[in-house]
C-alpha cells in the first residue's frame, strides 16, 4: 500500500528532526574533544615553559652576577629585578647542598644536590619550580671551590597558559552542554508540536467522519424505521412456519442490526455538553455490568472514591462497551477483573480480560472507527468509549498484561463542571 502524503511528510519531518539532533550532538562532542585536547596540550607544554623561564632567569643571572665572590646584596638586586618574571628565591650553595648566600624565601623542602655532584635538576614544589645547577669542578684549579645555584620561581607563563586553557575548557564544556541541551529542548518541542499536529489532524478527521456519520444515520434512520415497521406488520399476518414469515422476520432482524449501527453512528458523532453529576463509580460499574448481563466480575474497589463527577448516562456507554469486549474475550470460567481506585486526584478504572490479548499492531487501531477484530459488531464501541472519556478530559488506553490478557485503563480527572 502506498503511504499517504501526510504519512510521508511526517516521516520526512521525523528523519530531519533526528538528523538535526544527531548533528548537534556530534558538534557538541567535537567541541568537548577540541577543548579537552587544547587543555591537555597546555598541560603537556608546562615542562617546556618551565625550562624556557629557567633559561631566561639563568641569562639574567649571568648578566647581573659577577664571577668570583657573589654577595647577598647582589642576589637581592637580582631578586628584585626579576620578581615580576616570577623569581622568588635564589641561593648560592656548596656541593653538599649547604647555602652560602641567598635572597628571598625558599620552600621548606630540603635542597638535594644532583647525583654525582654536578648537573642540573628541576622539580615542581607547591606552585613553584625549583631549579638546581651545580657546575663541574675546575680541573685546572681543583683547589678553587665552585658553587652551585638554586633558583625558585613561580611559573607565570605556564600558569597563565593553563588558566587560559582551563577557561577555554570550561567555556567549551558549557557551550557544548548548552548546545546539546538546546538541541534536546527544541527536539522535544518539535516532537510535541508534531504530536499536537497529529492530534489536531486526527480530531479533524474524526470530526468530518462524525459529521458524515450523523448525516447518514439521520438519513437512514427514518426509512429504516418504516421498513422495520412494515416488515413486523407483515410478519404478524403470516403463519410462523411459512416461508414468508421467515423472510419477513429476517428483514426485521437486519433492520434491527442497521438500527443499532445508526445508533452507534449517532453516539460517535455526538459532541454535546456533558451533564456532570457526583455519582458512585462502583455502583455505575455494577449497573453497566447488569445491563450487558455480564457474569460475576472480580471487583477490587477498596481504594475507590465514594463520588466522582461524571455524566452517568454517557459514561455508562463507556463501561458497557469495555466490559462487553472483556466478557467476549474471557473464557466462561474466568470472568474479567475490574479495579476502581483513586490515584493522584484521578479516577482510574482498569478492566482486564483473560483472553489471548491484543496484537501489538492493533493496540491503537482498535480505537479507529469501524475497525474490529470480531466477526460481528460495527467497530464503533471502543471509538465511542474513547470519545466520551476524552470529553470528560480523561484518557482510555489499551495494553497487554505480562501474564496474558488485555487491560483497558480509564483515567478521569476530577472536574467540577
Amino acid at each position: 500500500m502506498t503511504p499517504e502524503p501526510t504519512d510521508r511528510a511526517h516521516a520526512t519531518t521525523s528523519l530531519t528532526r533526528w538528523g538535526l539532533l544527531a548533528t548537534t550532538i556530534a558538534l557538541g562532542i567535537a567541541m568537548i574533544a577540541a577543548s579537552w585536547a587544547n587543555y591537555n596540550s597546555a598541560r603537556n607544554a608546562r615542562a617546556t615553559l618551565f625550562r624556557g623561564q629557567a633559561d631566561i632567569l639563568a641569562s639574567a643571572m649571568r648578566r647581573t652576577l659577577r664571577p668570583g665572590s657573589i654577595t647577598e646584596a647582589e642576589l637581592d638586586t637580582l631578586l628584585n629585578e626579576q620578581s615580576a618574571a616570577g623569581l622568588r628565591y635564589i641561593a648560592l650553595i656548596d656541593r653538599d647542598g649547604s647555602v652560602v648566600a641567598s635572597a628571598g624565601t625558599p620552600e621548606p623542602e630540603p635542597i638535594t644536590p644532583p647525583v654525582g655532584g654536578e648537573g642540573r635538576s628541576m622539580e615542581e614544589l607547591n606552585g613553584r619550580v625549583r631549579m638546581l645547577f651545580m657546575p663541574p669542578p675546575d680541573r685546572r684549579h681543583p683547589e678553587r671551590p665552585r658553587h652551585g645555584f638554586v633558583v625558585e620561581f613561580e611559573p607565570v607563563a605556564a600558569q597563565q597558559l593553563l588558566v587560559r586553557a582551563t577557561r577555554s575548557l570550561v567555556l567549551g564544556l558549557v557551550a557544548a552542554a548548552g548546545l546539546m541541551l538546546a538541541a534536546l529542548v527544541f527536539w522535544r518541542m518539535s516532537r510535541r508540536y508534531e504530536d499536537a499536529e497529529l492530534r489536531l489532524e486526527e480530531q479533524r478527521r474524526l470530526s468530518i467522519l462524525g459529521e458524515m456519520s450523523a448525516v447518514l444515520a439521520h438519513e437512514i434512520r427514518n426509512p429504516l424505521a418504516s421498513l422495520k415497521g412494515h416488515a413486523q406488520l407483515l410478519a404478524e399476518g403470516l403463519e410462523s412456519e411459512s416461508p414468508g414469515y421467515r423472510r419477513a422476520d429476517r428483514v426485521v432482524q437486519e433492520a434491527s442490526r442497521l438500527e443499532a449501527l445508526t445508533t452507534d453512528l449517532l453516539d460517535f458523532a455526538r459532541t454535546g455538553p456533558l451533564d456532570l453529576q457526583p455519582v458512585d463509580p462502583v455502583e455505575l460499574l455494577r449497573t453497566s455490568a447488569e445491563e450487558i448481563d455480564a457474569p460475576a466480575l472480580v471487583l477490587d474497589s477498596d481504594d475507590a472514591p465514594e463520588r466522582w463527577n461524571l455524566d452517568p448516562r454517557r459514561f455508562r456507554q463507556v463501561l458497557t462497551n469495555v466490559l462487553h469486549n472483556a466478557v467476549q474475550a474471557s473464557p466462561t470460567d474466568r470472568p474479567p477483573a475490574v479495579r476502581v481506585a483513586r490515584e493522584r486526584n484521578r479516577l482510574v478504572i482498569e478492566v482486564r480480560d483473560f483472553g489471548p490479548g491484543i496484537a501489538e499492531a492493533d493496540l491503537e487501531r482498535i480505537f479507529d472507527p469501524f475497525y474490529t477484530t470480531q466477526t460481528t459488531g460495527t467497530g464503533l464501541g471502543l471509538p465511542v468509549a474513547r470519545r466520551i472519556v476524552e470529553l470528560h478530559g480523561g484518557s482510555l488506553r489499551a495494553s497487554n498484561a505480562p501474564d496474558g490478557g488485555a487491560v483497558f485503563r480509564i483515567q478521569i480527572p476530577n472536574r467540577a463542571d
Side-chain angles (χ1 to χ4, degrees):
M1 181 180 293
T2 303
E4 294 292 331
T6 53
D7 295 335
R8 290 197 298 268
H10 289 311
T12 302
T13 302
S14 180
L15 287 174
T16 303
R17 184 176 60 246
W18 279 104
L20 288 174
L21 179 63
T23 302
T24 307
I25 291 177
L27 288 174
I29 293 174
M31 289 176 62
I32 294 173
S35 300
W36 184 254
N38 180 52
Y39 178 76
N40 278 336
S41 298
R43 287 181 61 86
N44 294 333
R46 292 171 75 239
T48 303
L49 291 172
F50 292 167
R51 289 192 295 270
Q53 191 172 353
D55 291 340
I56 292 173
L57 292 173
S59 297
M61 289 168 61
R62 286 192 293 269
R63 290 194 308 268
T64 304
L65 302 177
R66 295 173 300 170
S69 178
I70 299 175
T71 64
E72 291 194 350
E74 292 175 325
L75 295 178
D76 283 331
T77 300
L78 178 62
L79 183 67
N80 292 331
E81 290 177 352
Q82 299 298 323
S83 62
L87 185 61
R88 298 293 178 263
Y89 177 72
I90 182 169
L92 189 68
I93 62 171
D94 285 332
R95 292 192 176 276
D96 60 357
S98 59
V99 177
V100 177
S102 66
T105 304
E107 287 294 323
E109 284 78 1
I111 298 173
T112 304
V115 178
E118 60 183 70
R120 180 175 176 176
S121 66
M122 187 179 297
E123 60 180 331
E124 191 172 359
L125 302 171
N126 303 320
R128 287 188 185 182
V129 176
R130 174 183 286 174
M131 182 184 69
L132 191 150
F133 175 71
M134 184 66 70
D138 188 344
R139 301 188 186 280
R140 293 182 181 180
H141 305 283
E143 72 281 359
R144 296 179 181 176
R146 300 195 69 180
H147 299 105
F149 287 95
V150 173
V151 176
E152 292 183 6
F153 60 89
E154 292 182 357
V156 178
Q159 288 175 348
Q160 290 175 348
L161 178 64
L162 190 60
V163 167
R164 287 195 294 269
T166 304
R167 186 183 299 117
S168 298
L169 175 62
V170 172
L171 289 176
L173 292 176
V174 171
L179 181 64
M180 290 189 286
L181 181 61
L184 183 61
V185 169
F186 285 126
W187 178 79
R188 292 190 64 182
M189 289 176 61
S190 64
R191 279 290 305 272
R192 290 178 180 177
Y193 178 75
E194 184 181 358
D195 291 343
E197 276 194 328
L198 289 173
R199 287 194 297 270
L200 288 174
E201 183 180 330
E202 179 69 14
Q203 289 175 1
R204 286 194 295 268
R205 187 176 70 85
L206 291 177
S207 177
I208 294 172
L209 184 59
E211 291 176 2
M212 181 185 70
S213 300
V215 171
L216 289 175
H218 281 295
E219 292 296 325
I220 293 173
R221 171 166 283 193
N222 290 334
L224 185 63
S226 176
L227 175 65
K228 180 182 177 182
H230 283 82
Q232 287 174 331
L233 290 174
L234 179 62
E236 290 175 0
L238 297 173
E239 295 292 334
S240 60
E241 300 298 328
S242 66
Y245 177 84
R246 288 194 296 272
R247 294 190 184 97
D249 186 61
R250 178 65 181 274
V251 171
V252 172
Q253 292 176 8
E254 294 300 322
S256 298
R257 189 175 67 83
L258 289 175
E259 197 172 46
L261 174 61
T262 58
T263 300
D264 289 343
L265 286 172
L266 290 173
D267 288 337
F268 178 72
R270 187 178 294 118
T271 58
L274 298 175
D275 181 19
L276 295 178
Q277 303 174 20
V279 298
D280 182 353
V282 176
E283 183 61 30
L284 189 62
L285 178 70
R286 291 195 178 100
T287 303
S288 303
E290 292 174 359
E291 186 175 329
I292 61 171
D293 293 328
L297 302 174
V298 180
L299 179 60
D300 177 8
S301 59
D302 293 342
D303 299 324
E306 294 183 0
R307 290 285 184 272
W308 207 262
N309 289 322
L310 300 170
D311 184 328
R313 183 180 62 84
R314 301 190 70 177
F315 200 76
R316 189 163 53 246
Q317 287 181 271
V318 176
L319 296 176
T320 54
N321 286 332
V322 174
L323 288 173
H324 178 73
N325 286 347
V327 169
Q328 282 189 326
S330 299
T332 55
D333 59 342
R334 197 171 186 188
V338 183
R339 184 175 76 92
V340 183
R342 177 175 186 153
E343 296 181 0
R344 296 189 298 273
N345 203 32
R346 285 178 174 269
L347 171 66
V348 174
I349 300 176
E350 286 185 347
V351 179
R352 177 187 175 181
D353 64 49
F354 296 93
I358 306 171
E360 290 294 326
D362 293 335
L363 283 175
E364 281 300 320
R365 294 190 63 193
I366 57 175
F367 295 104
D368 290 342
F370 306 109
Y371 180 81
T372 180
T373 57
Q374 305 292 331
T375 55
T376 60
T378 63
L380 285 172
L382 289 177
V384 168
R386 172 175 273 190
R387 195 173 181 85
I388 294 172
V389 169
E390 289 176 348
L391 288 174
H392 280 78
S395 63
L396 171 58
R397 298 285 184 269
S399 61
N400 288 309
D403 54 346
V407 179
F408 287 85
R409 181 179 173 90
I410 302 168
Q411 294 188 86
I412 304 293
N414 197 3
R415 297 176 57 181
D417 51 11

